């Protein structure tokens, strides 16, 4: 009844609109599930070994809802519908009704993704306010429905997150997945299999993530004259390095710590992995993240208010890391 089929990388297992005849289990390799929009393809999901695909038509006999294209050389096991239909008939009516409803919802969601997905590749896919919106959706859903995990994080089902994203916020679920993947790489999120083919998303640091969104939102909507300027990757590195040295020094009455930039130059390579030269502090002083520079016969110093800039350094680290991962 089941037969194996090989699909070379770049080839299609089947295409959107094809008449359906079987569902498949991925034995080796991986596939992208895509929808065609103009001359390009929008990736709805990626599936790999153990996943099932092509099951929708089993329940509603409609043409294939999406393309399934091999992203690596792959092998699948085909389970022809004919051979499954007897077992299908023995399923309770309500189970078939649920499957049909889920299929309809997914078809609708896919249509919406296709409309929402930006067809113009020159436009930025993840402008800052959109990144913030996706993280906010994750925060809100985990705040409302999250289950407390031992790690201190809160977990939600990936299906719930997907439904909220598309149905309540009308945002693309594949973009949400990209943001969740980026947050996973930054250790804010973990993704785990539940063992039944579904996944859970664990928001590991909900408080920090809420604080980040609030700060970034505030920063984005402030007028330029009322906010500190953006920091580059390199400036963030320098700032984080200076903070490391500043924390060891007692603050003065105004909460500033006097950091010896010559000492930093000598020890920064060893302690932070980056060489920080006295002139590297200049742009941070200009941008008002650091206090004044003082030069006397004992050396060159800069005044650092650790409490004030610690969270800013942290937030710019996140912004820059997200930018890199969401290009
Ligand atoms: N948004 C989606 N996420 C994951 N899989 C999908 C999605 N949309 C469609 N599919 C799968 O892609 C298949 C395309 O053919 P079917 O419609 O038979 O069944 C579909 C599902 O198995």
């Amino acid at each position: 009844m089941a037969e194996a089929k090989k699909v070379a990388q770049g080839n299609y297992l089947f295409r959107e609109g094809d008449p359906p005849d079987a569902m498949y289990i991925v034995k080796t390799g991986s596939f992208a599930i895509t929808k065609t929009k103009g001359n390009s393809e929008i990736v709805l999901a990626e599936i790999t070994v153990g996943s099932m695909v092509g099951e929708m038509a089993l329940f509603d006999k409609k043409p294939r809802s999406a393309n399934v294209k091999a992203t690596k050389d792959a092998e699948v096991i085909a389970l022809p519908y004919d051979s499954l239909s007897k077992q299908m008939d023995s399923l309770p009516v309500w189970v078939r009704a649920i499957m049909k409803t889920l299929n309809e919802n997914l078809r609708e969601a896919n249509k919406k993704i296709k409309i929402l997905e930006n067809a113009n590749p020159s436009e930025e896919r993840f402008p800052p306010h959109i990144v913030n919106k996706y993280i906010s959706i994750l925060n809100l859903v985990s705040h409302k429905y999250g289950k407390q995990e031992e790690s201190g994080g809160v977990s939600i089902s990936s299906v719930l997150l997907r439904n909220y994203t598309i149905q309540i916020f009308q945002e693309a679920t594949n973009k949400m997945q990209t943001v969740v993947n980026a947050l996973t790489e930054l250790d804010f999120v973990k993704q785990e299999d539940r063992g039944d083919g579904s996944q859970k998303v664990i928001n590991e640091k909900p408080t920090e993530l809420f604080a980040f969104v609030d700060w970034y939102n505030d920063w984005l909507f402030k007028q330029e004259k009322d906010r500190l300027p953006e920091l580059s990757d390199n400036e963030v590195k320098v700032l984080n390095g200076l903070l490391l040295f500043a924390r060891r020094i007692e603050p003065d009455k105004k909460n500033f710590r006097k950091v010896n930039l010559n000492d930093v130059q000598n020890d920064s390579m060893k302690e932070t992995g980056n060489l920080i030269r006295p002139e590297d502090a200049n742009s941070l002083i200009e941008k008002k993240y650091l206090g004044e520079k003082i030069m006397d016969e004992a050396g060159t110093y800069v005044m650092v208010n650790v409490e004030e800039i610690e969270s800013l350094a942290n937030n710019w680290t996140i912004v820059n890391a997200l930018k890199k991962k969401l290009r």
Side-chain angles (χ1 to χ4, degrees), residues 58-77:
L58 184 61
F59 297 92
D60 58 18
K61 312 274 183 298
K62 291 195 176 153
R64 295 296 191 195
S65 61
N67 308 303
V68 178
K69 185 181 183 179
T71 45
K72 281 190 198 144
D73 285 346
E75 194 176 354
V76 294
I77 308 285

Side-chain angles (χ1 to χ4, degrees), residues 14 20 33 44-45 47 52-57 63-68 81 106-107 110 113 162:
F14 52 75
I33 298 176
L44 298 172
I47 56 168
M52 186 189 282
V53 69
E55 78 295 347
M56 285 171 68
R64 295 296 191 195
S65 61
N67 308 303
V68 178
Y81 287 165
L106 192 56
R107 280 182 200 281
N110 286 347
I113 291 178
R162 193 176 73 195

Side-chain angles (χ1 to χ4, degrees), residues 8 30 49 62 65 110 120 147 165 169 182 200 208 222 255 283 287 301:
S30 58
V49 179
K62 291 195 176 153
S65 61
N110 286 347
N120 180 0
K147 203 177 115 244
T165 306
F169 292 95
K200 65 176 174 181
E208 279 100 319
K222 256 191 191 150
N255 227 2
S283 72
K287 291 186 174 182
Y301 298 84

Side-chain angles (χ1 to χ4, degrees), residues 161-192:
L161 182 61
R162 193 176 73 195
N163 289 351
Y164 246 80
T165 306
I166 188 78
Q167 290 169 0
I168 313 279
F169 292 95
Q170 308 276 298
E171 287 294 342
T173 49
N174 54 341
K175 282 194 182 175
M176 173 55 98
Q177 186 60 51
T178 308
V179 172
V180 168
N181 290 347
L183 290 172
T184 305
E185 284 182 44
L186 297 175
D187 290 334
F188 276 99
V189 164
K190 259 202 201 134
Q191 299 178 69
E192 278 178 12

